[in-house]
Amino acid sequence: MSGSVNKVILIGNLGADPEVRSLPSGSPVVNLRIATSERWRDRNTGEQRERTEWHRVVIFNEGLAKVAQNYLRKGSKVYIEGQLQTRKWEKDGQDQYTTEIVLQGFNSTLTMLDGRGEGSGESGSYGNQGSYGGSRQVENRQRPSSAPAFEPGGMDDDIPF
Amino acid sequence: MSGSVNKVILIGNLGADPEVRSLPSGSPVVNLRIATSERWRDRNTGEQRERTEWHRVVIFNEGLAKVAQNYLRKGSKVYIEGQLQTRKWEKDGQDQYTTEIVLQGFNSTLTMLDGRGEGSGESGSYGNQGSYGGSRQVENRQRPSSAPAFEPGGMDDDIPF
Amino acid sequence: MSGSVNKVILIGNLGADPEVRSLPSGSPVVNLRIATSERWRDRNTGEQRERTEWHRVVIFNEGLAKVAQNYLRKGSKVYIEGQLQTRKWEKDGQDQYTTEIVLQGFNSTLTMLDGRGEGSGESGSYGNQGSYGGSRQVENRQRPSSAPAFEPGGMDDDIPF
Amino acid sequence: MSGSVNKVILIGNLGADPEVRSLPSGSPVVNLRIATSERWRDRNTGEQRERTEWHRVVIFNEGLAKVAQNYLRKGSKVYIEGQLQTRKWEKDGQDQYTTEIVLQGFNSTLTMLDGRGEGSGESGSYGNQGSYGGSRQVENRQRPSSAPAFEPGGMDDDIPF
DNA sequence: TTTT
DNA sequence: TTTT
């Protein structure tokens, strides 16, 4: 089927430092554990309630994997855009299924929302968020850099809006 | 943690008719199986490849549950907005985890993208999409119906844009 | 037409303190100016480039309007979900059009992404982000608070995933 | 500023055939007019109300521009993901501003939601939606085509979910 | 100017 | 007019 969309948008905090592996090809793959929480007041008891959801994020996109590896730490707050994938594996001869948010290729995004990588503390130096945004966009950007993005006029030249 | 977002957006087709259950409270709960697919050309072999992903959707929102029950069928194309939740259950004494897209409360959406409910054929009469969009929005809409949504002016009254 | 979606998602910073007005009904309306920026490296010159986009946000949703009024300040970073609306007005007898991101009713969201309301400094006490998330969700939440959200089982009871 | 997001998601119908122009560089640029509508029941009068919003979409992304040019017609239903940009122009010596949804570079999407290109009728042959999805993804896809996307295991090898 |  |  074409005409389908599979998109996940998360804003949350890392529950642990990123975990880095390598594909046989040498490409880095980064796994993140991200928590999102919601709070609400119970309608019956009136008390404050909270629910935390944990998400598995897998980054295949090389540029984003490097960003994650270099700038994210336990506690970092991130914005993520990826897609849902469920994979099957076995445990004691029994099928298991794991659903992950995959960042791969176009239409994947990772943006740091704190400039500090606050959290674990034992982090070392991993720069600021600016260097990442730039590097990622370099590889995907397509607008001709020398031409203006828009020219006056458009669909209705006389009454352009 | 506050300041988090957990959002899933899907456009896909139902792999089966909706499955309706009832909560102890009598509220309907609807389960959907939705397929999203992507196609691409293999970089090495040049051949066309396709991957289909199956998603579990659970609708707790009563208005949306009724829409799903009444208007969706196997093959229906839908737009869905919900959130990720993973629940734990047991099988043969072993923990299992299932991740679902939950439509519940505010910020959940379900929109039919075909006016026919094409697919199974044995569908019977389940109306058109218009009746749903209306009914759902009735219960959530908040703009005072008699007042204009906007008045001229705003942050910079003289140079409003 | 049914079957349509109109959604804007922004993460950016307020360029000024929120501007609060009141509808004839007494309901508060809050206007925000939000900046989003992107940086990239120019393909030809290799130099760093930046583009900032300014957005007009209008909050009709009462709960979110109060949050904005109480907790946001110039410089605050926010996540916003709303919809596009263009309104027409006149200036010197000439039609003008202004496009805004409207937060109104269901499917609107405003989330603070910094816990401090940093920015202007002369802010006074406007609490932490947690108090907002809760209050908003109170008015929209629908899951019965006493019942478990999920029961084991689902569409395929034996092979639940 | 880094750490910002500027995203628009639309599902709507074309109010007119796509309008194709060319940049000085020869790259095609396509303008679309897209309508989104919402219906609700007036709380006071109880009558059905409808509001249609018209959006200007500008496609700079070459692959998506070709898809739009070849497969979209007046009446076509599309899913669009782009970003907001407001540009300034002059009319009778007075500043005017136009806000558009721009599809450009990574993180832009255009998906046909009807397989027919229904609408104008005088369309000629513009294939099916499949050919587009493929071609677009070819140019952006990054997963190594020969390697499995996932290997069993992950962050917690023993308790993988 | 679309669509239902 | 924000932010880095």
Side-chain angles (χ1 to χ4, degrees):
Chain A
M1 175 201 43
S2 56
S4 67
V5 170
N6 173 357
K7 178 172 289 287
V8 180
I9 290 173
L10 298 181
I11 294 178
N13 295 275
L14 272 68
D17 284 354
E19 180 176 298
V20 184
R21 297 179 297 128
S22 286
L23 291 179
S25 66
S27 302
V29 178
V30 175
N31 290 271
L32 306 177
R33 282 296 255 161
I34 294 184
T36 57
S37 305
E38 46 180 340
R39 274 186 236 143
W40 70 98
R41 196 159 293 282
D42 188 294
R43 284 191 166 177
N44 297 122
T45 68
E47 51 183 322
Q48 181 82 14
R49 309 250 274 130
E50 174 162 357
R51 176 193 170 91
T52 295
E53 193 68 36
W54 286 96
H55 309 272
R56 295 183 174 274
V57 173
V58 187
I59 310 176
F60 287 98
N61 179 300
E62 282 208 45
L64 301 183
K66 279 174 197 157
V67 170
Q69 185 175 177
N70 291 329
Y71 301 121
L72 299 184
R73 290 295 176 270
K74 178 181 175 179
S76 296
K77 176 166 282 191
V78 289
Y79 170 91
I80 286 238
E81 224 176 296
Q83 56 181 313
L84 282 176
Q85 285 185 16
T86 298
R87 59 183 172 84
K88 185 181 173 183
W89 51 285
E90 278 197 32
K91 186 184 177 184
D92 305 336
Q94 219 180 353
D95 288 346
Q96 308 280 133
Y97 296 84
T98 295
T99 299
E100 294 163 311
I101 294 110
V102 177
L103 277 64
Q104 179 183 162
F106 91 106
N107 263 357
S108 294
T109 306
L110 185 157
T111 300
M112 289 185 64
L113 294 176
D114 45 12
R116 294 140 278 142
E118 69 203 338
S120 63
E122 73 278 7
S123 50
S125 72
Y126 43 90
N128 75 339
Q129 25 179 170
S131 53
Y132 126 67
S135 64
R136 185 200 51 182
Q137 295 179 327
V138 163
E139 62 186 350
N140 297 97
R141 180 149 282 266
Q142 270 158 255
R143 176 187 290 186
S145 60
S146 48
F150 295 95
E151 307 162 88
M155 295 188 79
D156 312 284
D157 241 358
D158 295 341
I159 310 155
F161 198 81
Chain B
M1 175 202 43
S2 57
S4 67
V5 170
N6 173 358
K7 177 173 288 287
V8 180
I9 290 174
L10 298 181
I11 294 178
N13 295 275
L14 272 68
D17 285 353
E19 181 176 298
V20 185
R21 297 179 296 129
S22 286
L23 291 179
S25 67
S27 302
V29 179
V30 175
N31 289 272
L32 306 177
R33 282 296 254 161
I34 295 184
T36 57
S37 305
E38 47 180 340
R39 276 187 234 142
W40 70 96
R41 197 161 291 283
D42 189 294
R43 283 189 166 180
N44 297 122
T45 69
E47 51 184 322
Q48 181 82 13
R49 308 250 273 130
E50 174 162 356
R51 176 192 169 92
T52 296
E53 194 68 37
W54 286 97
H55 309 271
R56 295 183 175 275
V57 173
V58 188
I59 310 176
F60 286 99
N61 179 300
E62 282 208 45
L64 300 184
K66 280 174 197 157
V67 169
Q69 185 176 178
N70 292 328
Y71 302 119
L72 298 184
R73 290 295 175 269
K74 178 182 175 181
S76 297
K77 175 165 281 190
V78 289
Y79 171 91
I80 288 240
E81 224 176 297
Q83 56 181 312
L84 282 177
Q85 285 185 15
T86 298
R87 59 185 171 83
K88 185 182 173 181
W89 51 285
E90 278 198 30
K91 186 183 177 184
D92 305 336
Q94 218 179 354
D95 289 346
Q96 310 279 133
Y97 296 84
T98 296
T99 299
E100 295 163 310
I101 294 110
V102 176
L103 276 64
Q104 180 183 160
F106 91 105
N107 262 357
S108 294
T109 306
L110 185 157
T111 300
M112 289 185 63
L113 293 177
D114 44 13
R116 294 142 279 142
E118 69 203 340
S120 63
E122 74 276 10
S123 50
S125 72
Y126 44 92
N128 76 338
Q129 24 180 172
S131 54
Y132 127 67
S135 65
R136 185 199 51 183
Q137 294 179 327
V138 163
E139 62 185 351
N140 297 98
R141 180 150 282 267
Q142 269 157 255
R143 176 187 291 186
S145 59
S146 49
F150 296 95
E151 307 161 89
M155 295 187 79
D156 312 283
D157 240 358
D158 296 342
I159 310 154
F161 197 82
Chain C
M1 178 200 44
S2 56
S4 67
V5 169
N6 173 358
K7 177 173 290 288
V8 180
I9 290 173
L10 297 181
I11 294 177
N13 295 275
L14 272 68
D17 284 354
E19 179 175 298
V20 184
R21 297 179 297 129
S22 285
L23 291 179
S25 66
S27 302
V29 179
V30 175
N31 290 271
L32 306 177
R33 281 298 253 162
I34 295 184
T36 57
S37 305
E38 46 180 340
R39 273 186 237 143
W40 69 98
R41 196 160 292 282
D42 188 294
R43 284 190 165 179
N44 297 121
T45 69
E47 50 184 322
Q48 181 82 14
R49 309 251 274 129
E50 173 162 357
R51 177 192 170 92
T52 296
E53 193 69 36
W54 286 97
H55 309 271
R56 295 182 175 275
V57 174
V58 187
I59 311 177
F60 287 96
N61 179 300
E62 282 208 44
L64 300 183
K66 278 175 199 157
V67 170
Q69 184 175 179
N70 291 329
Y71 301 119
L72 299 183
R73 290 295 175 269
K74 179 181 176 179
S76 297
K77 175 166 281 191
V78 289
Y79 171 90
I80 287 238
E81 224 177 296
Q83 56 181 311
L84 282 176
Q85 285 185 15
T86 298
R87 59 183 171 83
K88 185 182 173 182
W89 51 283
E90 278 198 30
K91 185 184 177 184
D92 305 335
Q94 217 179 356
D95 289 346
Q96 308 279 135
Y97 296 84
T98 295
T99 299
E100 294 164 310
I101 294 109
V102 176
L103 277 65
Q104 180 183 162
F106 91 105
N107 262 357
S108 293
T109 305
L110 185 156
T111 300
M112 288 185 64
L113 294 177
D114 44 12
R116 294 140 278 141
E118 70 202 339
S120 64
E122 73 277 11
S123 50
S125 71
Y126 43 92
N128 76 338
Q129 25 179 171
S131 53
Y132 127 66
S135 64
R136 185 199 50 183
Q137 295 180 326
V138 163
E139 60 185 354
N140 297 98
R141 180 150 282 268
Q142 270 157 254
R143 176 188 288 186
S145 60
S146 49
F150 296 96
E151 307 162 87
M155 295 188 77
D156 311 284
D157 242 357
D158 295 342
I159 309 155
F161 197 84
Chain D
M1 178 200 43
S2 57
S4 67
V5 170
N6 174 357
K7 177 172 289 287
V8 180
I9 290 174
L10 298 181
I11 295 178
N13 295 275
L14 272 68
D17 285 353
E19 180 175 298
V20 185
R21 297 180 296 128
S22 286
L23 291 178
S25 67
S27 303
V29 179
V30 175
N31 289 272
L32 307 177
R33 281 298 253 161
I34 295 183
T36 57
S37 305
E38 47 179 340
R39 274 186 235 142
W40 70 97
R41 197 159 291 283
D42 188 294
R43 284 190 166 177
N44 297 121
T45 69
E47 51 183 324
Q48 181 82 14
R49 308 251 275 129
E50 173 161 357
R51 177 192 168 91
T52 296
E53 193 69 36
W54 285 97
H55 309 272
R56 295 183 175 275
V57 173
V58 187
I59 310 176
F60 286 97
N61 179 300
E62 282 209 44
L64 300 184
K66 280 174 197 155
V67 170
Q69 185 175 178
N70 292 328
Y71 302 120
L72 298 184
R73 290 295 176 269
K74 178 180 176 179
S76 297
K77 175 165 281 190
V78 288
Y79 171 90
I80 287 240
E81 224 177 297
Q83 57 181 312
L84 281 177
Q85 284 185 16
T86 297
R87 60 183 171 84
K88 185 182 174 182
W89 52 284
E90 278 198 32
K91 186 185 177 183
D92 304 336
Q94 219 180 354
D95 288 347
Q96 308 280 133
Y97 296 83
T98 295
T99 300
E100 295 164 310
I101 295 109
V102 176
L103 276 65
Q104 180 182 160
F106 92 105
N107 261 357
S108 294
T109 306
L110 185 157
T111 301
M112 290 185 63
L113 293 178
D114 43 13
R116 293 141 276 141
E118 69 202 342
S120 63
E122 72 277 10
S123 50
S125 71
Y126 42 92
N128 76 338
Q129 25 181 171
S131 54
Y132 128 66
S135 65
R136 184 200 52 183
Q137 294 179 328
V138 164
E139 61 185 351
N140 297 97
R141 180 150 282 267
Q142 269 157 256
R143 175 188 291 185
S145 59
S146 49
F150 296 95
E151 307 162 87
M155 295 187 80
D156 311 283
D157 241 358
D158 295 342
I159 309 154
F161 198 85

